């Protein structure tokens, strides 16, 4: 075995995988409490503590400039039951990142 291959093998073993980030399909099965099911493993249900959701997939408030001045508006974009998602899983972390909804 060459030195290069030995270093590569050691690095792979240290991180646990050649591809430490996996992109997975998931769906929202409940919103209160928020629960997400991985599509490749129907038995794995993720609870709120297991993932990070970007602000763009929540209900949030923004300032909007109008002819009448600055107004506050709420964007209603929270996840809903039945939403299809793409999530990222980081190997060994046990934490999932919701990337986005999947369009119909």
């Amino acid at each position: 075995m060459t030195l290069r291959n030995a270093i590569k093998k050691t690095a792979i073993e240290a991180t646990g995988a050649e591809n430490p980030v996996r992109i997975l399909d998931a769906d929202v099965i409940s919103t209160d409490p928020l629960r997400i099911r991985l599509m490749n493993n129907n038995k794995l249900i993720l609870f709120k503590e297991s993932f990070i959701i970007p602000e763009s997939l929540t209900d949030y408030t923004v300032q909007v400039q109008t002819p009448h001045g600055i107004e506050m508006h709420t964007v209603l974009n929270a996840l809903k039951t039945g939403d299809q998602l793409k999530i990222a899983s980081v190997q060994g972390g046990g934490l999932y990142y919701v990337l986005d909804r999947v369009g119909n």
Side-chain angles (χ1 to χ4, degrees):
M1 178 182 310
T2 67
L3 178 59
R4 179 178 182 266
N5 287 342
I7 292 171
K8 181 178 177 183
K9 182 179 182 232
T10 302
I12 289 170
E13 289 171 356
T15 61
E18 283 188 296
N19 298 316
V21 176
R22 295 181 300 151
I23 305 300
L24 306 168
D25 294 316
D27 66 338
V28 178
I29 60 171
S30 129
T31 57
D32 191 19
L34 186 56
R35 296 185 303 155
I36 296 175
R37 173 180 54 202
L38 294 182
M39 300 301 276
N40 65 345
N41 183 349
N42 286 334
K43 294 182 181 179
L44 183 54
I45 307 297
L46 305 174
F47 293 90
K48 187 175 183 178
E49 299 79 22
S50 300
F51 50 87
I52 296 172
I53 301 173
E55 181 182 41
S56 62
L57 294 175
T58 65
D59 294 342
Y60 59 97
T61 303
V62 294
Q63 290 183 353
V64 178
Q65 178 70 46
T66 70
H68 306 289
I70 295 176
E71 298 176 358
M72 300 299 289
H73 291 270
T74 300
V75 177
L76 303 175
N77 203 37
L79 296 173
K80 296 171 188 61
T81 300
D83 281 350
Q84 301 295 307
L85 308 172
K86 288 289 185 184
I87 64 173
S89 167
V90 178
Q91 195 78 335
L95 192 60
Y96 297 85
Y97 298 88
V98 177
L99 301 172
D100 208 348
R101 285 187 181 91
V102 177
N104 294 332

